[in-house]
Amino acid sequence: MTDTEGTGTVVESYGRRVVVRRPDGERVSCKLRRRGLDLVAGDEVRLAFAAGDDEWAVVERLPRRNLLGRTDSRGRTEALVANLDQLGVVVSPRPACDPFVVDRYLAGAAQAGIPALIVSNKCDLAAESDTLGFLEPLRAMGLPVISVSARTGTGIDELVARLSGRRSLLAGQSGVGKSSLTNLLAGDAAQATGALSHASGEGRHTTTSSSILEAPWGELVDSPGVRDYAPPVSELKDVQSGFTEIAALASGCRFLDCLHLREPHCAVQAAVGSGRVDARRYESYRRLVNLTRQLDDRRGWHD
Ligand SMILES: Nc1nc2c(ncn2[C@@H]2O[C@H](COP(=O)(O)OP(=O)(O)O)[C@@H](O)[C@H]2O)c(=O)[nH]1
Ligand SMILES: [Mg+2]
Ligand SMILES: [Zn+2]
């Protein structure tokens, strides 16, 4: 007897078990045929239903188009979600956002090759928008900025048009309105998620595991793990790939391995001096280099 074969997309992952959406839209709870498959939401997988078995098993993970990861507090890389079409960084005038956190999300997306946009929520609080000045250099770099209000509905149509037909993740600091936007955009889908795992008594035991919400217009990824976000960086030299305006200048530096910190004849430092590169963005870059150094030290201790 041979296996029945199938394919699908992982929409929820619980480590040893996953929920897979089949091509016909049905969601099935699957076991993993072997250890080490390392599945996250968004993964495309091959399934088999073995004769004599009573459920689908994931036998293989198909190649990933991209993978958004994070660095945890011990400096270990953790995969969050695969095959994303875009990352929306949600900001708001109140609570005021830390621009350095916003830059870390943008750096994670850039490193993974995922297009990013800014979702500027709470535009009904326009009187307090003076905290959003840090968006200007980002806008000037060509990053789309969409002003919305989850409260009044302003801009939501434009946001849906942006998200339409794509798999998007909305990330951002606590309080900026991610849940409000998710409820507004995919409320029914959010309620459906987790029903299968609750029914089978598995629950969600890791707070960072992502899930995919399927709305009529597209997909939204719910990822609690992106709250306190640092991109995964294995080498200091790689930090600049998260800052496209800095990476673009590196060929003008005298040293091939220039980190653009205190090296002489550095095109990046010169551009910061002349105002061509935003000084705050450069500071973000420096902080991420330093964070990477600290994490390297911590990794050293734990290995
Ligand atoms: N004025 C205003 N408040 C909002 C808006 N969106 C969300 N909020 C409020 O901001 C607070 C935090 O929202 P929440 O969705 O829980 O943020 P999250 O932590 O990012 O998930 C709540 O009190 C929301 O009612 C908005 O567009 N305008
Ligand atoms: Mg929330
Ligand atoms: Zn340099």
Side-chain angles (χ1 to χ4, degrees), residues 253 258 260 266-268:
C253 300
C258 187
H260 325 305
C266 167
V268 174

Side-chain angles (χ1 to χ4, degrees), residues 21 41-42 65-66 68 80-90 114-119 146 158-171 178 181-182 185-186 210-215 217-223 226:
R21 187 182 64 218
R65 192 151 49 88
N66 60 51
L68 185 72
L80 291 175
V81 51
N83 304 321
L84 265 188
D85 293 313
Q86 56 190 353
L87 176 82
V89 184
V90 185
I114 300 163
L117 65 140
I118 300 280
V119 181
I146 301 177
E158 194 196 341
L159 181 59
V160 169
R162 273 271 168 191
L163 304 179
S164 191
R166 298 179 168 141
R167 175 179 298 159
S168 314
L169 170 66
L170 296 181
K178 297 179 299 298
L181 286 169
T182 302
L185 296 166
S210 312
S211 56
I212 291 182
L213 309 177
E214 208 182 357
W217 46 262
E219 293 180 353
L220 213 52
V221 181
D222 185 22
S223 182
V226 291

Side-chain angles (χ1 to χ4, degrees), residues 77-277:
T77 294
E78 181 190 3
L80 291 175
V81 51
N83 304 321
L84 265 188
D85 293 313
Q86 56 190 353
L87 176 82
V89 184
V90 185
V91 300
S92 76
R94 187 186 53 190
C97 291
D98 182 344
F100 297 103
V101 174
V102 171
D103 279 343
R104 290 210 299 263
Y105 289 119
L106 296 177
Q111 282 170 357
I114 300 163
L117 65 140
I118 300 280
V119 181
S120 189
N121 189 34
K122 309 197 190 182
C123 66
D124 54 295
L125 304 178
E128 297 167 59
S129 63
D130 51 319
T131 60
L132 293 173
F134 72 93
L135 293 180
E136 281 321 310
L138 300 175
R139 220 190 286 259
M141 286 167 51
L143 200 68
V145 178
I146 301 177
S147 283
V148 302
S149 168
R151 178 155 296 171
T152 66
T154 307
I156 296 299
D157 286 350
E158 194 196 341
L159 181 59
V160 169
R162 273 271 168 191
L163 304 179
S164 191
R166 298 179 168 141
R167 175 179 298 159
S168 314
L169 170 66
L170 296 181
Q173 285 169 258
S174 193
V176 294
K178 297 179 299 298
S179 299
S180 307
L181 286 169
T182 302
N183 287 337
L184 195 62
L185 296 166
D188 294 345
Q191 287 185 351
T193 303
L196 196 58
S197 53
H198 286 307
S200 60
E202 282 162 43
R204 180 181 290 206
H205 45 75
T206 55
T207 50
T208 54
S209 88
S210 312
S211 56
I212 291 182
L213 309 177
E214 208 182 357
W217 46 262
E219 293 180 353
L220 213 52
V221 181
D222 185 22
S223 182
V226 291
R227 276 252 225 98
D228 182 21
Y229 182 79
V233 188
S234 51
E235 281 188 60
L236 286 180
K237 191 78 178 75
D238 295 340
V239 175
Q240 66 176 346
S241 66
F243 295 80
T244 45
E245 79 275 44
I246 289 178
L249 293 169
S251 62
C253 300
R254 170 174 290 179
F255 302 110
L256 262 179
D257 58 352
C258 187
L259 290 176
H260 325 305
L261 299 176
R262 313 201 66 146
E263 295 93 335
H265 303 285
C266 167
V268 174
Q269 291 169 75
V272 174
S274 71
R276 207 149 63 87
V277 163

Side-chain angles (χ1 to χ4, degrees), residues 11-12 19-22 25-29 193 196 212 214:
V11 291
E12 299 174 52
V19 178
V20 172
R21 187 182 64 218
R22 305 267 291 119
E26 191 199 354
R27 288 169 174 241
V28 291
S29 176
T193 303
L196 196 58
I212 291 182
E214 208 182 357

